[in-house]
Every structure is written in structure tokens, then in C-alpha cells.
Amino acid sequence: LQAADLRNLSPAYIEAAEIDCLRDEVVMYAEALKSTGTQVEMVTVKGAYHGFGVGKRTPGLLRVRDQRFAAMRKHYER
């Protein structure tokens, strides 16, 4: 977010937990990338807290994981 130049970066999948002390910064980063024309898929995980991805494998976590994989496949299988 503090880089002097955010142009010409690869498409980004950016994920923020709804309950996270860093959520605002994540959103600002996504917006900064979008403002340069970078393709950004911004996802807010409702009800999730900072570090939720290291917890138990709940159905919600598995759904988010699958969403991450789908975003990667979309860009790498071109």
C-alpha cells in the first residue's frame, strides 16, 4: 500500500476478514490497485476474524478455500 508505484501488477485476489484490525488497510490496498487499472477481486469473509484460516476446517473455511482456488485457476489456466 505504501509502494511508490502500483501499476502493471498481476491480477489480484484480495480477501479480508470482516472482523479484522487490518480490514480497512486491505480494502484501501484493493482500491489503490483498482485505481491503477489492476484487475482486483475483493472478497470480504462475513463473520470471519483475523487469522481465521488457521483454525479448524469448518464448512465456512472450506468454502473460502475453494473460492481462493477458483480465483487462482481463473488466472493461471489462461
Side-chain angles (χ1 to χ4, degrees):
L1 185 57
Q2 296 177 10
D5 188 358
L6 294 173
R7 293 175 295 172
N8 301 314
L9 296 177
S10 299
Y13 170 83
I14 299 178
E15 188 176 275
E18 181 181 31
I19 307 164
D20 190 334
C21 59
L22 301 175
R23 188 185 66 78
D24 292 346
E25 286 83 355
V26 172
V27 172
M28 286 190 296
Y29 179 61
E31 292 301 322
L33 288 175
K34 285 181 187 179
S35 74
T36 68
T38 299
Q39 181 182 347
V40 176
E41 181 178 350
M42 174 68 204
V43 174
T44 299
V45 182
K46 302 289 183 195
Y49 52 86
H50 183 83
F52 77 97
V54 297
K56 268 176 70 174
R57 290 186 179 189
T58 64
L61 178 56
L62 296 176
R63 188 173 49 255
V64 170
R65 181 203 60 193
D66 291 344
Q67 189 172 357
R68 292 173 187 163
F69 291 159
M72 285 188 276
R73 278 193 299 274
K74 182 171 33 174
H75 296 289
Y76 289 113
E77 293 179 351
R78 291 182 180 191

